[in-house]
Amino acid sequence: MKKTEAKFGIHRPVTVALAGNPNSGKTTIFNALTGSRQHVGNYPGVTVEKKEGRRLHKGLDITFVDLPGTYSLTAYSVEEIVARNFLLQQQPDLVVHVIDASNLERNLYLSVQLMEIGAPLLLVFNMSDVARQRGLTFDVPLLSQLLGPPIVQTVGSKSQGIDRLLDKVAEIVQIRAMPVYRYHYGADVEQQIERLVQQINTHPQLSQRYRPRWLAIKLLENDQEVCKEVQDESILELAGECAGHLETIFGDDPAIVLADQRYGFISGACQEAVKSTVESRHDVSDKIDAIMTHRVLGLPIFLGLMYTVFQLVFNVGEYPMIWLETGFHWLGGLVASAWPQGSDSILKSLLVDGVIGGVGGVMVFLPNIFLLFLAIAVLEDSGYMARAAFIMDRVMHKMGLHGKSFIPMLIGFGCSVPAIMATRILENRRSRLTTIMIIPLMSCGARFPIYALIIPAFFPEHIRGMILWVVYLIGIVLAVICARLLRKTLLKGQTIPFVMELPPYRMPTAKGLWLHTWMRSWHYVKKAGTIILGISIVLWGLTSFPRPSAGQLEGLSSGQAQSAVLQHSIAGRVGRTMEPVIKPLGFDWKIGTALIGAMAAKEVFVSQLGIVYSLGEVDEGSAVLREKLRADYTPLQGFCIMLFCLISAPCMATVAITRREAGTWKWAIFQWIALTILAYGITLIVYQIGSAAGNL
Ligand code: GDP
Ligand code: MG
């Protein structure tokens, strides 16, 4: 005994725990690693057997602990609690997760939980002989990149791969830095985790003992052991609130929601890196996915769904839009006619033309916006959006990017600002910058009112949905092309693979849909009532002043006089100065002033046209804005307006967020200039070819 102690003494002692599902071959591996140097006892207080064994290897004195077999690390069984407490309290230098590779997806569930607990992890794909017999092949390097921890393949019963395993163990425990595995839940869950983590961090006695993120997750799952441990009322109360919030959104117990997301992560990783020559699982989600993410059908289905959504947004949204339009028009007329004759007409103009004309112009599209966001919420909450990203993944791989970039891009359909923030999920700076640069090409909600104004004004009912679909598609295609260009030039570099998560399909809850749709729509209303209102008033001022002297207006009819006032104003002059530049695109000075307004916020394009046409209005009872546009411009000009607004300079908020997330002004300015030039070039080509073709 003494002799061995002395011999072990020169070696650095480390503890390595073996975790795994029952029957994954843990004990077999343990025996192969430690031979006869074993010690069998019990975990304190419970009748669960504790096996320890020692092995000297490369200057290390390694104590292996064979943990009880568990399927997960919840607190439902004694084995789970024992294994979990060992990991939390003893904090082994390394956890070796022995996996039955012939049943990979189910086994990896425990891996994800081990990652969460913050343990340094090594995955052992045991039973790899059985896996091979079942026709499974693993892309091990890819899987290791997707999941995080390194992977070693073994056949425990034949002692194959044991030396490699030992070498890997020695290699990892020499690296002292704690690994950070990058598994993220969806935005809704992450938000609640973040809230809890912040609260936990204010309690050092907890945050120093446990990984705060793990505690937060367990609290959301209402883990009884952890709740007992935490004690603090304020944290428990917040945890209840956060869990309740998730329950309303998902319509399911948060513990189940989180489990689903873990399975989604695993299933995404396996879809990418495991090939099977035989058919395996066949649950409902898999059956749906066999069609939805089909290699050939996936993309047409995605495009078809988008098409249906846009068709719906127009067809259903048209009626309430017309009511609102008529309502605002009536309100403007009412205010104008109620105004005392001869009193200050500037104030009247500010109210009728600036406020009602400007903000009203944007507000009439609320029903369409609401429907659009509702449709997006249905696609997101049902789990389809994750599939859309998965399908785009294939397209984007061909373009040198990874599908994970498509997730912020999808968010970009709502608003570029949160989308650019969401690029934080991309670790590689070059991939991230590339994605930030192209996000403004994803047509955001603020650009929608422009389409909603233009499309019904110029295009017959049956092709409206299609035109909108084409506009969105042009954005996506340009984004992909630009990304490819950037990755080949300024932002050259390798793409790191990521897991595309495929959570199971679920029925969206009414509450969740309502919350997601309402939050975004309310944001639109708030923006209209604040930023758009402010800019509208400024633009009204620029469109109304300076006024020509009474002498200059003498002898003109009222219509001619209005037009003279507009042309005399600052906006009119700027528009006229711009005209030579934008004329080749088919734009006149009125559109020019609206484009300037749109640089602040895209909706302002609509409100500014509302102001211009409201000011120029001869009699109060004349047609709504759309009909006036139809009289002034051609469908080609209409299309070019949409094209330019889609591609051109991002709004101020986007510029600011790009500056923040990219770290320098350089990228924000580059983005602004490059997109504006691109918009100019493409619109020029389309307008010139279009009008030449029209003249034939
Ligand atoms: P534990 O419950 O995780 O400790 O699993 P055991 O180590 O007791 O192993 C369960 C069974 O699987 C035993 O009959 C082992 O001989 C067998 N086994 C272990 N590793 C392998 C392997 O790599 N391939 C095959 N075919 N059988 C294995
Ligand atoms: Mg065993």
Side-chain angles (χ1 to χ4, degrees):
M1 192 67 190
K2 236 181 182 156
K3 214 169 178 182
T4 11
E5 289 282 298
K7 191 176 128 206
F8 283 7
I10 56 164
H11 292 81
R12 185 161 76 79
V14 293
T15 310
V16 174
L18 295 182
N21 292 7
N23 284 320
S24 57
K26 241 163 5 73
T27 304
T28 311
I29 299 267
F30 175 79
N31 290 339
L33 285 168
T34 60
S36 58
R37 294 177 294 275
Q38 293 186 0
H39 169 82
V40 182
N42 264 348
Y43 285 94
V46 287
T47 54
V48 178
E49 188 181 79
K50 183 183 188 184
K51 268 189 179 168
E52 284 185 353
R54 290 168 97 179
R55 174 74 180 251
L56 296 178
H57 190 72
K58 295 199 171 163
L60 296 169
D61 169 8
I62 310 170
T63 301
F64 287 97
V65 180
D66 187 11
L67 293 178
T70 59
Y71 290 104
S72 81
L73 289 181
T74 46
Y76 293 134
S77 69
V78 184
E79 284 78 12
E80 288 183 352
I81 295 174
V82 166
R84 191 164 103 175
N85 286 344
F86 183 86
L87 296 176
L88 288 170
Q89 285 153 18
Q90 310 297 316
Q91 303 205 336
D93 297 273
L94 177 67
V95 177
V96 171
H97 181 196
V98 180
I99 287 169
D100 172 0
S102 68
N103 204 348
L104 188 62
E105 289 200 27
R106 181 169 172 200
N107 277 253
L108 283 177
Y109 188 75
L110 181 60
S111 308
V112 174
Q113 293 200 316
L114 289 166
M115 291 181 210
E116 254 165 25
I117 217 166
L121 197 58
L122 170 62
L123 304 183
V124 174
F125 282 15
N126 193 37
M127 309 262 182
S128 38
D129 54 335
V130 184
R132 204 172 311 121
Q133 278 162 21
R134 295 204 185 154
L136 295 167
T137 52
F138 307 111
D139 183 341
V140 172
L142 179 63
L143 258 177
S144 170
Q145 261 178 316
L146 294 172
L147 297 168
I151 298 169
V152 174
Q153 282 182 293
T154 59
V155 182
S157 50
K158 292 183 195 144
S159 288
Q160 284 173 12
I162 300 298
D163 292 336
R164 237 176 319 147
L165 172 57
L166 258 176
D167 286 346
K168 200 75 198 173
V169 167
E171 184 190 320
I172 299 172
V173 295
Q174 307 284 6
I175 311 165
R176 291 254 115 184
M178 278 291 282
V180 182
Y181 303 112
R182 52 168 179 252
Y183 175 58
H184 285 269
Y185 293 91
D188 286 314
V189 178
E190 285 294 334
Q191 218 177 353
Q192 305 309 319
I193 294 177
E194 186 50 36
R195 277 175 78 188
L196 276 168
V197 165
Q198 275 177 12
Q199 182 77 8
I200 291 164
N201 280 335
T202 61
H203 295 72
Q205 80 279 11
L206 278 176
S207 60
Q208 277 160 19
R209 273 181 57 207
Y210 303 104
R211 188 178 183 216
R213 185 178 166 84
W214 180 76
L215 268 188
I217 291 168
K218 290 293 131 185
L219 285 170
L220 284 178
E221 290 177 335
N222 194 22
D223 184 294
Q224 289 311 310
E225 290 285 310
V226 166
C227 288
K228 258 189 273 167
E229 197 69 16
V230 167
Q231 284 174 346
D232 181 88
E233 268 312 312
S234 68
I235 295 182
L236 291 178
E237 213 166 278
L238 181 66
E241 191 188 317
C242 294
H245 184 78
L246 290 180
E247 180 137 19
T248 20
I249 290 181
F250 291 97
D252 223 335
D253 185 341
I256 293 174
V257 172
L258 291 172
D260 276 353
Q261 297 202 357
R262 288 184 198 115
Y263 277 119
F265 171 75
I266 292 162
S267 133
C270 291
Q271 286 234 17
E272 294 212 22
V274 181
K275 299 271 169 298
S276 170
T277 49
V278 281
E279 285 297 299
S280 53
R281 277 173 54 204
H282 265 304
D283 66 8
V284 183
S285 272
D286 281 353
K287 276 185 189 151
I288 302 177
D289 273 342
I291 303 166
M292 288 301 201
T293 63
H294 188 270
R295 266 175 206 284
V296 183
L297 294 177
L299 196 58
I301 291 177
F302 170 55
L303 295 175
L305 272 172
M306 261 175 70
Y307 181 87
T308 314
V309 164
F310 293 145
Q311 201 71 35
L312 186 106
V313 164
F314 267 119
N315 291 348
V316 183
E318 174 146 355
Y319 303 97
M321 182 187 80
I322 290 175
W323 302 332
L324 278 176
E325 220 166 38
T326 324
F328 275 106
H329 199 71
W330 172 82
L331 184 67
L334 187 75
V335 172
S337 62
W339 210 265
Q341 284 296 316
S343 69
D344 190 14
S345 70
I346 289 186
L347 198 60
K348 171 184 132 184
S349 172
L350 169 65
L351 211 61
V352 175
D353 306 322
V355 175
I356 298 176
V359 174
V362 172
M363 283 299 294
V364 297
F365 299 114
L366 185 62
N368 306 77
I369 290 277
F370 188 87
L371 282 170
L372 179 70
F373 287 154
L374 178 66
I376 291 179
V378 170
L379 294 180
E380 271 177 0
D381 291 7
S382 64
Y384 180 73
M385 277 305 196
R387 273 75 189 178
F390 188 82
I391 293 156
M392 286 308 288
D393 182 48
R394 282 187 208 128
V395 179
M396 298 188 65
H397 265 310
K398 290 198 185 96
M399 293 294 171
L401 262 181
H402 191 276
K404 194 102 181 182
S405 292
F406 198 68
I407 293 169
M409 286 165 71
L410 281 172
I411 300 175
F413 283 134
C415 175
S416 299
V417 173
I420 287 173
M421 282 161 70
T423 59
R424 289 179 189 175
I425 58 169
L426 306 168
E427 261 137 73
N428 179 286
R429 181 162 160 84
R430 281 157 190 267
S431 308
R432 193 172 164 214
L433 274 174
T434 308
T435 313
I436 291 177
M437 289 301 117
I438 60 170
I439 276 177
L441 287 167
M442 309 309 287
S443 192
C444 69
R447 267 169 276 199
F448 184 80
I450 305 176
Y451 314 144
L453 174 71
I454 302 281
I455 293 175
F458 296 104
F459 300 97
E461 204 168 331
H462 64 279
I463 62 163
R464 284 176 193 166
M466 202 250 303
I467 299 278
L468 185 64
W469 180 77
V470 166
V471 171
Y472 273 73
L473 215 56
I474 290 175
I476 300 178
V477 170
L478 278 177
V480 171
I481 294 173
C482 290
R484 175 80 168 155
L485 273 177
L486 281 171
R487 293 293 279 166
K488 288 230 139 176
T489 56
L490 288 177
L491 295 165
K492 234 186 270 181
Q494 270 234 299
T495 36
I496 301 171
F498 283 97
V499 177
M500 301 300 306
E501 281 133 47
L502 291 180
Y505 288 98
R506 55 167 72 236
M507 203 59 184
T509 64
K511 198 87 182 251
L513 289 181
W514 169 250
L515 274 177
H516 286 146
T517 310
W518 174 244
M519 254 158 34
R520 290 169 187 164
S521 304
W522 177 237
H523 177 76
Y524 182 79
V525 174
K526 255 195 340 213
K527 199 169 160 198
T530 53
I531 300 170
I532 308 297
L533 176 64
I535 300 170
S536 290
I537 292 174
V538 171
L539 285 174
W540 167 83
L542 294 177
T543 317
S544 305
F545 300 102
R547 308 202 137 205
S549 66
Q552 285 171 293
L553 296 176
E554 216 170 302
L556 297 175
S557 73
S558 77
Q560 287 170 321
Q562 293 280 19
S563 170
V565 169
L566 271 178
Q567 292 183 22
H568 197 77
S569 70
I570 296 175
R573 289 176 208 197
V574 172
R576 293 211 161 266
T577 315
M578 277 173 71
E579 213 167 42
V581 182
I582 56 174
K583 207 173 175 123
L585 310 183
F587 303 161
D588 63 7
W589 66 272
K590 291 177 187 170
I591 293 172
T593 64
L595 287 177
I596 294 174
M599 287 178 190
K602 294 280 176 185
E603 299 98 323
V604 174
F605 182 89
V606 171
S607 59
Q608 172 64 1
L609 278 187
I611 294 169
V612 168
Y613 278 94
S614 177
L615 280 171
E617 209 163 65
V618 185
D619 60 305
E620 300 293 352
S622 73
V624 290
L625 185 52
R626 271 186 288 135
E627 282 160 41
K628 295 176 203 159
L629 290 178
R630 188 168 2 202
D632 273 12
Y633 307 103
T634 64
L636 177 62
Q637 282 172 311
F639 188 78
C640 286
I641 291 173
M642 293 193 288
L643 203 55
F644 191 84
C645 289
L646 166 72
I647 310 167
S648 69
C651 70
M652 283 310 174
T654 304
V655 174
I657 201 81
T658 298
R659 150 78 185 85
R660 201 181 84 193
E661 298 294 314
T664 59
W665 276 111
K666 193 179 76 181
W667 288 106
I669 294 167
F670 169 72
Q671 182 185 51
W672 198 93
I673 293 176
L675 287 176
T676 306
I677 293 174
L678 185 68
Y680 192 91
I682 291 182
T683 313
L684 181 74
I685 294 169
V686 170
Y687 184 70
Q688 292 303 330
I689 293 179
S691 40
N695 285 337
L696 288 179

